[in-house]
Amino acid sequence: MGFSLSNAALRLVSGAFILNAGIGKLALDREHATGLQAAAAHVVPQLKDIDPERFGKLLAMGEIGLGAFVLAPFIPSRLAGLALSAFSGGLVATYLKGPGMTQPDGIRPTPAGTAMAKDIWLAGIAVALVFAPRRRAAAIARAKAKPAA
């Protein structure tokens, strides 16, 4: 597992953002937690059965855990990318399924959906981390491509 500056940058930006978001949610009031829960319930209907304050705490802890996981240098980048893809997939689904978030075409954001639509950058980072070429595989491919001297 070699060091990649590009992967480190992607992990630092996304991990710190998610970690900070989770820390900010530790002190959610009931009203804000209820709003977040309602948005999440459009994707996972079972979430509406949880007490809103409990949902807020679980969401905060989940984001803190994911942010720390993505930032941890001993976690392979592909694994961090897979975890980030699950999280960002949930955000994208919340955006696409949320009422009033998209224009009639179902893709472009309304003014109300812009805040959610911007989170698609996390999905892009997840894809980059999961599908980045492996350094060793790339080196082997380069070595095989060189003509014998």
Side-chain angles (χ1 to χ4, degrees), residues 43-61:
V43 178
V44 182
Q46 296 83 352
L47 293 176
K48 68 179 184 255
D49 298 332
I50 300 173
D51 175 67
E53 289 173 344
R54 179 168 164 73
F55 173 81
K57 293 288 184 210
L58 291 171
L59 181 61
M61 298 309 291

PDB file of all heavy atoms in Angstrom, residues 43-61:
ATOM      1  N   VAL A  43     -35.763   7.989   1.325  1.00  0.00           N
ATOM      2  CA  VAL A  43     -34.922   6.936   0.758  1.00  0.00           C
ATOM      3  C   VAL A  43     -35.074   5.639   1.550  1.00  0.00           C
ATOM      4  O   VAL A  43     -35.184   4.561   0.980  1.00  0.00           O
ATOM      5  CB  VAL A  43     -33.439   7.379   0.733  1.00  0.00           C
ATOM      6  CG1 VAL A  43     -32.550   6.281   0.188  1.00  0.00           C
ATOM      7  CG2 VAL A  43     -33.284   8.647  -0.090  1.00  0.00           C
ATOM      8  N   VAL A  44     -35.063   5.737   2.873  1.00  0.00           N
ATOM      9  CA  VAL A  44     -35.211   4.569   3.750  1.00  0.00           C
ATOM     10  C   VAL A  44     -36.420   4.830   4.660  1.00  0.00           C
ATOM     11  O   VAL A  44     -36.275   5.439   5.724  1.00  0.00           O
ATOM     12  CB  VAL A  44     -33.932   4.335   4.593  1.00  0.00           C
ATOM     13  CG1 VAL A  44     -34.070   3.092   5.454  1.00  0.00           C
ATOM     14  CG2 VAL A  44     -32.703   4.242   3.708  1.00  0.00           C
ATOM     15  N   PRO A  45     -37.619   4.394   4.245  1.00  0.00           N
ATOM     16  CA  PRO A  45     -38.835   4.704   4.994  1.00  0.00           C
ATOM     17  C   PRO A  45     -38.817   4.262   6.464  1.00  0.00           C
ATOM     18  O   PRO A  45     -39.457   4.886   7.308  1.00  0.00           O
ATOM     19  CB  PRO A  45     -39.932   3.968   4.222  1.00  0.00           C
ATOM     20  CG  PRO A  45     -39.381   3.785   2.851  1.00  0.00           C
ATOM     21  CD  PRO A  45     -37.895   3.660   3.023  1.00  0.00           C
ATOM     22  N   GLN A  46     -38.073   3.230   6.791  1.00  0.00           N
ATOM     23  CA  GLN A  46     -38.021   2.737   8.167  1.00  0.00           C
ATOM     24  C   GLN A  46     -37.429   3.764   9.131  1.00  0.00           C
ATOM     25  O   GLN A  46     -37.644   3.680  10.338  1.00  0.00           O
ATOM     26  CB  GLN A  46     -37.214   1.424   8.251  1.00  0.00           C
ATOM     27  CG  GLN A  46     -37.819   0.278   7.490  1.00  0.00           C
ATOM     28  CD  GLN A  46     -37.486   0.271   5.996  1.00  0.00           C
ATOM     29  OE1 GLN A  46     -36.901   1.209   5.457  1.00  0.00           O
ATOM     30  NE2 GLN A  46     -37.883  -0.790   5.311  1.00  0.00           N
ATOM     31  N   LEU A  47     -36.704   4.729   8.623  1.00  0.00           N
ATOM     32  CA  LEU A  47     -36.089   5.732   9.488  1.00  0.00           C
ATOM     33  C   LEU A  47     -37.115   6.627  10.174  1.00  0.00           C
ATOM     34  O   LEU A  47     -36.831   7.214  11.205  1.00  0.00           O
ATOM     35  CB  LEU A  47     -35.095   6.592   8.699  1.00  0.00           C
ATOM     36  CG  LEU A  47     -33.849   5.873   8.209  1.00  0.00           C
ATOM     37  CD1 LEU A  47     -32.998   6.797   7.352  1.00  0.00           C
ATOM     38  CD2 LEU A  47     -33.041   5.334   9.377  1.00  0.00           C
ATOM     39  N   LYS A  48     -38.307   6.699   9.615  1.00  0.00           N
ATOM     40  CA  LYS A  48     -39.328   7.554  10.229  1.00  0.00           C
ATOM     41  C   LYS A  48     -39.803   6.989  11.565  1.00  0.00           C
ATOM     42  O   LYS A  48     -40.399   7.711  12.361  1.00  0.00           O
ATOM     43  CB  LYS A  48     -40.499   7.769   9.280  1.00  0.00           C
ATOM     44  CG  LYS A  48     -41.327   6.534   9.023  1.00  0.00           C
ATOM     45  CD  LYS A  48     -42.493   6.848   8.087  1.00  0.00           C
ATOM     46  CE  LYS A  48     -43.334   5.626   7.928  1.00  0.00           C
ATOM     47  NZ  LYS A  48     -43.222   4.923   6.715  1.00  0.00           N
ATOM     48  N   ASP A  49     -39.516   5.727  11.836  1.00  0.00           N
ATOM     49  CA  ASP A  49     -39.953   5.087  13.085  1.00  0.00           C
ATOM     50  C   ASP A  49     -39.022   5.356  14.262  1.00  0.00           C
ATOM     51  O   ASP A  49     -39.339   5.000  15.389  1.00  0.00           O
ATOM     52  CB  ASP A  49     -40.092   3.570  12.877  1.00  0.00           C
ATOM     53  CG  ASP A  49     -41.144   3.229  11.824  1.00  0.00           C
ATOM     54  OD1 ASP A  49     -42.100   4.024  11.657  1.00  0.00           O
ATOM     55  OD2 ASP A  49     -41.007   2.181  11.170  1.00  0.00           O
ATOM     56  N   ILE A  50     -37.875   5.960  14.011  1.00  0.00           N
ATOM     57  CA  ILE A  50     -36.900   6.254  15.067  1.00  0.00           C
ATOM     58  C   ILE A  50     -37.235   7.612  15.683  1.00  0.00           C
ATOM     59  O   ILE A  50     -37.674   8.527  14.982  1.00  0.00           O
ATOM     60  CB  ILE A  50     -35.463   6.278  14.496  1.00  0.00           C
ATOM     61  CG1 ILE A  50     -35.111   4.935  13.871  1.00  0.00           C
ATOM     62  CG2 ILE A  50     -34.449   6.663  15.561  1.00  0.00           C
ATOM     63  CD1 ILE A  50     -33.785   4.928  13.137  1.00  0.00           C
ATOM     64  N   ASP A  51     -37.026   7.746  16.968  1.00  0.00           N
ATOM     65  CA  ASP A  51     -37.186   9.036  17.625  1.00  0.00           C
ATOM     66  C   ASP A  51     -36.247  10.045  16.957  1.00  0.00           C
ATOM     67  O   ASP A  51     -35.064   9.738  16.743  1.00  0.00           O
ATOM     68  CB  ASP A  51     -36.851   8.911  19.120  1.00  0.00           C
ATOM     69  CG  ASP A  51     -36.876  10.245  19.817  1.00  0.00           C
ATOM     70  OD1 ASP A  51     -37.975  10.830  19.925  1.00  0.00           O
ATOM     71  OD2 ASP A  51     -35.795  10.709  20.227  1.00  0.00           O
ATOM     72  N   PRO A  52     -36.733  11.247  16.606  1.00  0.00           N
ATOM     73  CA  PRO A  52     -35.891  12.216  15.903  1.00  0.00           C
ATOM     74  C   PRO A  52     -34.580  12.565  16.628  1.00  0.00           C
ATOM     75  O   PRO A  52     -33.542  12.718  15.976  1.00  0.00           O
ATOM     76  CB  PRO A  52     -36.782  13.454  15.780  1.00  0.00           C
ATOM     77  CG  PRO A  52     -38.166  12.916  15.823  1.00  0.00           C
ATOM     78  CD  PRO A  52     -38.109  11.716  16.738  1.00  0.00           C
ATOM     79  N   GLU A  53     -34.609  12.686  17.932  1.00  0.00           N
ATOM     80  CA  GLU A  53     -33.375  13.010  18.653  1.00  0.00           C
ATOM     81  C   GLU A  53     -32.379  11.856  18.564  1.00  0.00           C
ATOM     82  O   GLU A  53     -31.176  12.070  18.413  1.00  0.00           O
ATOM     83  CB  GLU A  53     -33.686  13.380  20.095  1.00  0.00           C
ATOM     84  CG  GLU A  53     -34.386  14.731  20.176  1.00  0.00           C
ATOM     85  CD  GLU A  53     -34.871  15.085  21.562  1.00  0.00           C
ATOM     86  OE1 GLU A  53     -34.946  14.198  22.429  1.00  0.00           O
ATOM     87  OE2 GLU A  53     -35.198  16.272  21.758  1.00  0.00           O
ATOM     88  N   ARG A  54     -32.885  10.648  18.651  1.00  0.00           N
ATOM     89  CA  ARG A  54     -32.011   9.467  18.496  1.00  0.00           C
ATOM     90  C   ARG A  54     -31.457   9.417  17.070  1.00  0.00           C
ATOM     91  O   ARG A  54     -30.276   9.142  16.866  1.00  0.00           O
ATOM     92  CB  ARG A  54     -32.771   8.192  18.832  1.00  0.00           C
ATOM     93  CG  ARG A  54     -31.954   6.924  18.668  1.00  0.00           C
ATOM     94  CD  ARG A  54     -32.674   5.727  19.297  1.00  0.00           C
ATOM     95  NE  ARG A  54     -32.148   4.462  18.878  1.00  0.00           N
ATOM     96  CZ  ARG A  54     -31.002   3.945  19.254  1.00  0.00           C
ATOM     97  NH1 ARG A  54     -30.221   4.610  20.079  1.00  0.00           N
ATOM     98  NH2 ARG A  54     -30.608   2.765  18.816  1.00  0.00           N
ATOM     99  N   PHE A  55     -32.307   9.685  16.095  1.00  0.00           N
ATOM    100  CA  PHE A  55     -31.855   9.717  14.704  1.00  0.00           C
ATOM    101  C   PHE A  55     -30.725  10.738  14.540  1.00  0.00           C
ATOM    102  O   PHE A  55     -29.711  10.446  13.901  1.00  0.00           O
ATOM    103  CB  PHE A  55     -33.013  10.066  13.755  1.00  0.00           C
ATOM    104  CG  PHE A  55     -32.564  10.278  12.345  1.00  0.00           C
ATOM    105  CD1 PHE A  55     -32.330   9.201  11.502  1.00  0.00           C
ATOM    106  CD2 PHE A  55     -32.332  11.559  11.856  1.00  0.00           C
ATOM    107  CE1 PHE A  55     -31.883   9.384  10.200  1.00  0.00           C
ATOM    108  CE2 PHE A  55     -31.878  11.763  10.556  1.00  0.00           C
ATOM    109  CZ  PHE A  55     -31.664  10.676   9.733  1.00  0.00           C
ATOM    110  N   GLY A  56     -30.889  11.925  15.106  1.00  0.00           N
ATOM    111  CA  GLY A  56     -29.863  12.960  15.010  1.00  0.00           C
ATOM    112  C   GLY A  56     -28.540  12.506  15.607  1.00  0.00           C
ATOM    113  O   GLY A  56     -27.472  12.747  15.027  1.00  0.00           O
ATOM    114  N   LYS A  57     -28.600  11.856  16.763  1.00  0.00           N
ATOM    115  CA  LYS A  57     -27.361  11.357  17.395  1.00  0.00           C
ATOM    116  C   LYS A  57     -26.716  10.263  16.540  1.00  0.00           C
ATOM    117  O   LYS A  57     -25.492  10.243  16.362  1.00  0.00           O
ATOM    118  CB  LYS A  57     -27.651  10.805  18.798  1.00  0.00           C
ATOM    119  CG  LYS A  57     -28.070  11.858  19.796  1.00  0.00           C
ATOM    120  CD  LYS A  57     -26.917  12.743  20.188  1.00  0.00           C
ATOM    121  CE  LYS A  57     -27.347  13.720  21.257  1.00  0.00           C
ATOM    122  NZ  LYS A  57     -26.607  14.964  21.203  1.00  0.00           N
ATOM    123  N   LEU A  58     -27.531   9.348  16.018  1.00  0.00           N
ATOM    124  CA  LEU A  58     -26.991   8.274  15.176  1.00  0.00           C
ATOM    125  C   LEU A  58     -26.373   8.839  13.898  1.00  0.00           C
ATOM    126  O   LEU A  58     -25.305   8.387  13.461  1.00  0.00           O
ATOM    127  CB  LEU A  58     -28.085   7.264  14.833  1.00  0.00           C
ATOM    128  CG  LEU A  58     -28.594   6.412  15.986  1.00  0.00           C
ATOM    129  CD1 LEU A  58     -29.823   5.600  15.559  1.00  0.00           C
ATOM    130  CD2 LEU A  58     -27.501   5.480  16.495  1.00  0.00           C
ATOM    131  N   LEU A  59     -27.019   9.828  13.324  1.00  0.00           N
ATOM    132  CA  LEU A  59     -26.483  10.467  12.127  1.00  0.00           C
ATOM    133  C   LEU A  59     -25.153  11.151  12.428  1.00  0.00           C
ATOM    134  O   LEU A  59     -24.172  10.988  11.689  1.00  0.00           O
ATOM    135  CB  LEU A  59     -27.488  11.479  11.573  1.00  0.00           C
ATOM    136  CG  LEU A  59     -27.073  12.223  10.306  1.00  0.00           C
ATOM    137  CD1 LEU A  59     -26.834  11.255   9.152  1.00  0.00           C
ATOM    138  CD2 LEU A  59     -28.150  13.241   9.932  1.00  0.00           C
ATOM    139  N   ALA A  60     -25.101  11.879  13.530  1.00  0.00           N
ATOM    140  CA  ALA A  60     -23.862  12.548  13.925  1.00  0.00           C
ATOM    141  C   ALA A  60     -22.744  11.533  14.134  1.00  0.00           C
ATOM    142  O   ALA A  60     -21.622  11.714  13.615  1.00  0.00           O
ATOM    143  CB  ALA A  60     -24.078  13.363  15.197  1.00  0.00           C
ATOM    144  N   MET A  61     -23.028  10.480  14.862  1.00  0.00           N
ATOM    145  CA  MET A  61     -21.997   9.473  15.129  1.00  0.00           C
ATOM    146  C   MET A  61     -21.569   8.754  13.845  1.00  0.00           C
ATOM    147  O   MET A  61     -20.385   8.459  13.661  1.00  0.00           O
ATOM    148  CB  MET A  61     -22.483   8.458  16.176  1.00  0.00           C
ATOM    149  CG  MET A  61     -22.775   9.098  17.540  1.00  0.00           C
ATOM    150  SD  MET A  61     -21.439  10.123  18.186  1.00  0.00           S
ATOM    151  CE  MET A  61     -20.217   8.899  18.527  1.00  0.00           C
TER     152      MET A  61
END
